[in-house]
Amino acid sequence: SSVATGTIITMTSFHWLLAWIGLELNTLAIIPIIAKHHHPRSTEATTKYFLTQAAASAMVLFASTLNAWTTGTWDITQLTNPPACNMLTIALAMKLGLAPLHFWLPEVLQGTPLKTGLIIATWQKLAPMALLFMIFSSTNTTILLTMALMSTMIGGWGGLNQTQTRKIMAFSSIAHLGWMASILTLNPNIMLLSLVLYIIMTTPTFLMLMFMSSKTIKDLTTSWSISPPMTTMTLMLLMSLGGLPPLTGFMPKWLILQEMTNHDLTMTMTILALSALLSLFFYLRLSYTSTLTVFPTTTKTTHKWRFQPKLATTPLMTTMLLSLLLLPLTPTFSP
């Protein structure tokens, strides 16, 4: 409840100090959630998370104080001091895990259970994104576009060599955040749409990994024996995350590239579109091991003997359907 409260305080705040208090509450509330498992890896993840978030929070506070010192106002929308703007952009990028400040994200996700990983990859992005949305008019486009390009490239390249599903999800998250950062100064509404769709697509992925209790790619190979329909859905979901039409994941990419065409950012566009190929490669690899090949089985039974599913499948199926079928809604969002 405190994690939720922190995010809501930040999203509804008008004063920089209140926004900072919300971010800080959010960070401090998720620390015990990550550290709950008494395990060296979770302790390490907690420490890394705390240090990066505390440093980023301090930078947010410093930037807002600097702005208040030069302009005399604590209003979030009145951000006019360029050094404060740049510092704030960098601090929020660090909070989100945009490259080149992304190194903590794969490490932290790797040290947490899948359920906590889901919270970090989705809910924890809301507050910094809300702040970026509120200050978009005063942010530096060059810094954001550079970070966006680095994020999409690193998110693509970093995920290629991974065998751990949580690290793959972390790099996929970095790449998606890169796409969001690229459009922020051009059209912040598309950024919000992109964020919502990213959350809608990442949630079922994590829930599916929990359902199949897959920590590595190797674990995914036996997923067909747990639930064949789920395996089929996983294939489509991964393609949606990769951004293939006619699935939902194509919508944000389409709108972002269209908006960039209107602004004549041809080079940026080309690099972004090519980096999507890198991400698509590791989604394809996941779907290949889970769906397209049958694991050599020695047992006679085709299904695992099992108890009731570990988690309710209603949220999984709801988000799964949304992340597959929303593309026809695009004309209502396009400018």
Side-chain angles (χ1 to χ4, degrees), residues 92-109:
L92 291 173
M94 186 169 172
K95 269 205 162 313
L96 287 168
L98 275 173
L101 306 162
H102 66 282
F103 292 97
W104 62 272
L105 188 60
E107 302 290 328
V108 169
L109 275 194

Side-chain angles (χ1 to χ4, degrees), residues 6 8 34 46 65 166-167 211 217 234 239 289 303:
I8 291 163
I34 306 175
T46 313
T65 314
R166 281 167 298 186
K167 278 198 172 168
F211 185 80
I217 295 187
T234 307
M239 293 305 94
T289 48
H303 288 305

